[in-house]
Amino acid sequence: MKTSGGYLLRLLQNKGVISREAVSNIEDCLKLESGKRQEDAVPDILEMLVEKGFATRKPILTALANEFQMETVEENDLIASAEVWEIVGKDLAERYRVFPLSCRGGRLQLAVANPFDLAALDDLGHLLGMAVEAKLAWPGDLRRALVAQLGQGGFLDPDGQYIQFPRQPLVVSEPKPDFDGYEAPIGSYVRWLIAKALEMRASDIHLEPLESRFRVRFRIDGSLREMENPPKRLQPAIISRLKLMAEISIAEKRLPQDGRILVSLEGREIDLRVSTLPTAHGESMVIRILDRENLRLDLSELGFRCEDLKKVEHLLSLPDGMILVTGPTGSGKTTTLYSFLHSINQPDRKIITVEDPVEYQLSGINQVQVKREVGLDFSSALRSLLRQAPNIIMIGEIRDLETAEIAVNASLTGHLVFSTLHTNDSAAAVSRLIDIGIKPFLVSASLRAVLAQRLVRLLCPNCRKPVQPENQPPGIEGAADIPFTLGTGCSQCSGRGYNGRSGIFEFMEITEEIQQLIYREAPLASIRIACRRAGLRTVWEEGMRKATQGLTTVEEVLALTVDGGEEDR
């Protein structure tokens, strides 16, 4: 048996601690637990030897201590100060089954029950950023000490007084750890990083390993901003710490992984979605921040024109049909769909969503998380949820023919269906559905409206001022007389000149004329012309309208939209 468990038995047999009969007996027991990792079985083997009367504790500990050149520690000595618990933390102690004893001169002493699991000590050293020294404890003593110390979310101090476990909550403006002198625990830096991102209203944290540095960037109002980078040598420890918090494998560095972290900040819960990706210089990690309290679900706050808002409210009152939201990744499509659901979420309606992932939990709505690894994709989930007799269905994204067919059929059989597509404008959604494989007559019969959208950054109201652009934007009558605005940067916007974002929308309602064009498979250009006759305004026009109102800049609009030309206006 070439495993840690097998080596342990041979070692104790060779040292005369146990007999050959004991080895055979324990090996038979291990075969019954063949699914168990042998490194995890070592503490169980030690206790089995004593329980079955093959040996006593003292000679076993002495033999192992001599073999691994470790000191032993008794159960009465398994106590630690608040400072040591702050360094290790409850999660690490429970996961690696270690008990922190002391920390002197940047060297941490831990009690362990399994001297064979050297990988765990290496991981802890990287995670904590300090040297680790192990002492050997009996498995039962260690287990009882951990339960006694951490069983209620706290620990006993050396005087026997119970103290709440010192897990520090996230605090806005928490001081950044100093890496120049004493190397602060990695947990302090991770805690500061998340708190700083929340303070700056970032939507994502990007941790990117480059050849000679470890780059950290925040995405704020849609734009990436580089922060002060930690030392390159701490890259593995920081990534490992975050993977541990997200409950994903620290050992797996070859494949992408996804996880989730729940943190608390000033009494509110923040959901962090973690994604890792192997790169040439290490694992890249992106942490998406989902703050439920900052989610705006009121339709009036999305940025609609008054007349478009009335049209949307009318569409949401319909009993059936399909409404699509289009735009590139990160344009706020999911937030718009959530706002639709929030506005029509009534006790007399059953609403079911199929999402990948479920970004926000909405009260009173049945939300289904796609799990492809077990065969639960969009199409299979849709087939099942139709038997749940919903009134309203929201599909995170239409990607394939099967999903599109189920969505269209559901909209034709008395269901109101919401979903998203990746197209540049609203009219292109029609050709996209037909390209996927939906018959044109089904598209014309089921589709009620298409909403194309973008998110533009809003100028900071505290520091914006009127300016006159050198190059007047084309297509705006009287542009020379319009006082455009620019953000100069201040403390409220962290010098960016922008603060927050708003949607710009291209609203295409399916009129009778457009229905006929779709039915006859008319060219996309003909559909666009019919939309213009029906009063459609492009996202470019809506963006320029916000620019002329002083809400954003011309440069911001031009970076996100394309002018269709004079013939399209």
Side-chain angles (χ1 to χ4, degrees), residues 393-405:
I393 300 169
M394 192 270 270
I395 306 167
E397 183 183 352
I398 292 178
R399 302 181 182 183
D400 52 47
L401 175 59
E402 190 173 8
T403 303
E405 284 179 336

Side-chain angles (χ1 to χ4, degrees), residues 302-535:
L302 295 182
F304 285 110
R305 280 179 179 255
C306 290
E307 54 268 35
D308 287 344
L309 181 58
K310 292 178 181 177
K311 292 178 181 178
V312 169
E313 290 173 342
H314 168 69
L315 287 168
L316 297 180
S317 68
L318 297 177
D320 55 27
M322 185 163 61
I323 301 173
L324 298 178
V325 180
T326 74
T329 301
S331 60
K333 300 187 296 297
T334 302
T335 300
T336 298
L337 290 180
Y338 280 164
S339 299
F340 289 173
L341 297 179
H342 178 73
S343 66
I344 58 178
N345 185 13
Q346 302 294 333
D348 61 342
R349 295 176 176 176
K350 180 161 185 175
I351 303 174
I352 304 181
T353 73
V354 184
E355 306 172 61
D356 184 24
V358 174
E359 295 190 2
Y360 295 95
Q361 297 285 345
L362 301 179
S363 178
I365 295 177
N366 301 282
Q367 295 174 268
V368 178
Q369 168 72 57
V370 168
K371 296 180 181 178
R372 293 183 178 82
E373 63 272 15
V374 296
L376 184 64
D377 55 13
F378 279 105
S379 56
S380 61
L382 281 171
R383 285 193 297 270
S384 298
L385 71 84
L386 287 175
R387 293 192 286 272
Q388 297 281 314
N391 302 106
I392 299 159
I393 300 169
M394 192 270 270
I395 306 167
E397 183 183 352
I398 292 178
R399 302 181 182 183
D400 52 47
L401 175 59
E402 190 173 8
T403 303
E405 284 179 336
I406 297 173
V408 168
N409 290 332
S411 69
L412 294 173
T413 54
H415 303 86
L416 186 60
V417 179
F418 304 130
S419 190
T420 68
L421 275 177
H422 283 284
T423 62
N424 289 327
D425 61 12
S426 54
V430 173
S431 60
R432 173 66 177 150
L433 287 174
I434 295 173
D435 289 342
I436 287 176
I438 302 298
K439 301 297 183 184
F441 73 91
L442 291 175
V443 176
S444 67
S446 62
L447 196 59
R448 294 284 183 266
V450 182
L451 195 68
Q453 71 176 71
R454 303 290 189 275
L455 286 177
V456 293
R457 291 182 293 174
L458 297 176
L459 288 167
C460 176
N462 188 56
C463 64
R464 65 184 181 188
K465 65 177 184 180
V467 295
Q468 196 62 43
E470 296 180 2
N471 299 319
Q472 299 298 333
I476 300 181
E477 296 182 4
D481 301 323
I482 296 175
F484 292 93
T485 53
L486 181 68
T488 57
C490 65
S491 59
Q492 290 189 15
C493 61
S494 302
R496 300 188 304 272
Y498 295 95
N499 197 341
R501 290 191 291 176
S502 177
I504 51 176
F505 301 93
E506 177 181 299
F507 185 77
M508 182 182 80
E509 192 170 11
I510 306 300
T511 63
E512 187 174 343
E513 179 187 5
I514 297 174
Q515 268 189 324
Q516 292 297 322
L517 290 172
I518 297 173
Y519 184 84
R520 297 198 303 265
E521 299 186 54
L524 185 58
S526 300
I527 296 176
R528 287 195 174 111
I529 293 172
C531 290
R532 300 296 283 174
R533 282 199 297 266

